[in-house]
Amino acid sequence: MRNQQTLASTVTCSGVGLHSGQPTSITLRPAPPDTGVVFVNCNSDVGACLSVSIEHRVPTELCTAIMGNGFQVQTIEHLLAALSGMGIDNAFVDVTATEVPVMDGSAAPFVRLIQSAGVVAQDQKQPFLKIMAPIEIIEGSKRVRIEPSSTPRITYSIHYPHPLIKTQTYAYDCSASAFEHEIAEARTFGFLQEVQALWARGLGKGGTLDNTVVLSGDGVINQSGLRFDDEFVRHKILDLIGDISLLGMPFIGHIVADRSGHALHTRLVQQILTQPDKWVLLNADSPAVATHTATYGTRHQPAVAPKAS
Ligand SMILES: [Zn+2]
């Protein structure tokens, strides 16, 4: 058990949106205890805010997006994974467009950004959601399940009839160090035909071989090759860590996923929050925080936030 954590200073990065292809930048700023992660619309005079919580999630096919208070931000999952993976509980994220920059298609640039800002402990305890009974979502051959465990863990399996993938399974013990070294570097991937179909539909406009691993019939098109032999399943874990952060706090349990994806991940979050008999909150400072969190999956939802100076 630990106290809440935020950034020690303010940091910025810029790039393009994976789907819009438009320039965009984010500024990560320290936030007070019990804020959670809150996006701030830089194009709003009042600094309109959108907290990262399951109730703001909008169904999208290709990425994770949230909407509310007059704006929408998409492709947030890799940034959320980096914040969650590195133990950042509270942060403001000023965003200049409707999408988070894709950077190199992994979470590594965001990890380096967080490390350059520094991480500081705050004076409030960080609640943890500890799973006491299994919760499972099954949809055809896809499934995701969370079950009791003394530590946070994720085991993910994927299956593709491709010589570089076939079946890949990865068991991940959650920690900032393991996130940085095992998960953060794994990039987004797609199959050549799918990627071409997306481009034909005017989607994925920011996608290039610099931010997406593209699989051909028997290999990858990227000349630089893979960062790990099992980079694909590691990236699925990265996505899951980002999606599960919509819970609004860290979990203690074992997530087992097989052929899962953004939609199933977020349904798991919804199922967890609607079944409070299956978990307990540990390390909560006050019963009010626990009750609000249990009901809304987030602790504190300002409509506006102080803008960056
Ligand atoms: Zn991803």
Side-chain angles (χ1 to χ4, degrees):
M1 295 298 112
R2 60 169 173 79
N3 275 14
Q4 295 181 33
Q5 299 184 137
T6 189
L7 300 158
S9 63
T10 296
V11 281
T12 298
C13 72
S14 302
V16 296
L18 178 63
H19 298 291
S20 66
Q22 296 296 310
T24 179
S25 62
I26 54 166
T27 298
L28 307 181
R29 292 186 284 128
D34 293 333
T35 302
V37 176
V38 174
F39 283 89
V40 182
N41 183 356
C42 290
N43 298 315
S44 152
D45 291 339
V46 293
C49 276
L50 190 51
S51 62
V52 171
S53 79
I54 193 69
E55 65 183 317
H56 291 144
R57 196 220 167 219
V58 279
T60 51
E61 191 186 345
L62 300 168
C63 65
T64 301
I66 53 173
M67 184 166 69
N69 296 331
F71 78 111
Q72 174 171 340
V73 194
Q74 60 176 354
T75 323
I76 59 176
E77 58 270 28
H78 302 164
L79 173 64
L80 294 186
L83 290 166
S84 168
M86 300 304 286
I88 302 296
D89 308 298
N90 303 304
F92 290 118
V93 182
D94 300 338
V95 59
T96 61
T98 58
E99 202 170 3
V100 168
V102 62
M103 309 309 288
D104 70 352
S106 79
F110 301 129
V111 166
R112 290 193 286 271
L113 199 63
I114 291 165
Q115 288 172 329
S116 72
V119 180
V120 289
Q122 299 175 289
D123 59 3
Q124 296 262 352
K125 292 179 187 172
Q126 173 57 46
F128 285 76
L129 191 152
K130 181 172 169 55
I131 294 293
M132 305 302 285
I135 298 172
E136 184 167 44
I137 319 264
I138 299 176
E139 192 182 279
S141 63
K142 304 175 182 181
R143 63 173 59 200
V144 62
R145 167 188 173 91
I146 189 163
E147 57 194 30
S149 165
S150 57
T151 56
R153 297 159 57 203
I154 298 169
T155 304
Y156 214 119
S157 297
I158 57 172
H159 316 266
Y160 290 94
H162 187 283
L164 285 187
I165 306 183
K166 298 175 194 162
T167 290
Q168 292 188 345
T169 298
Y170 197 86
Y172 169 66
D173 286 312
C174 305
S175 74
S177 170
F179 182 79
E180 180 190 353
H181 296 107
E182 299 174 28
I183 303 299
E185 296 276 352
R187 292 162 296 170
T188 305
F189 64 94
F191 293 89
L192 182 59
Q193 284 181 334
E194 286 175 7
V195 171
Q196 286 171 331
L198 278 182
W199 289 340
R201 287 167 61 196
L203 298 169
K205 285 179 185 156
T208 70
L209 293 177
D210 291 329
N211 56 37
T212 308
V213 177
V214 179
L215 288 141
S216 60
D218 58 357
V220 298
I221 289 178
N222 311 63
Q223 291 205 330
S224 55
L226 294 174
R227 293 177 175 176
F228 309 95
D229 288 344
D230 54 0
E231 184 167 1
F232 310 100
V233 70
R234 291 182 196 233
H235 187 81
K236 296 297 283 188
I237 291 178
L238 196 167
D239 281 340
L240 172 61
I241 293 168
D243 290 338
I244 211 79
S245 76
L246 293 171
L247 267 177
M249 76 183 84
F251 68 92
I252 300 175
H254 182 195
I255 299 177
V256 183
D258 192 87
R259 297 181 169 91
S260 192
H262 295 304
L264 242 59
H265 300 162
T266 47
R267 275 177 60 196
L268 178 66
V269 172
Q270 283 165 330
Q271 286 298 311
I272 292 170
L273 291 171
T274 53
Q275 298 183 56
D277 55 320
K278 303 263 177 85
W279 46 265
V280 294
L281 279 186
L282 302 182
N283 208 36
D285 256 332
S286 74
V289 167
T291 305
H292 183 86
T293 306
T295 310
Y296 301 106
T298 182
R299 280 161 277 142
H300 179 71
Q301 299 192 3
V304 295
K307 290 184 94 168
S309 54

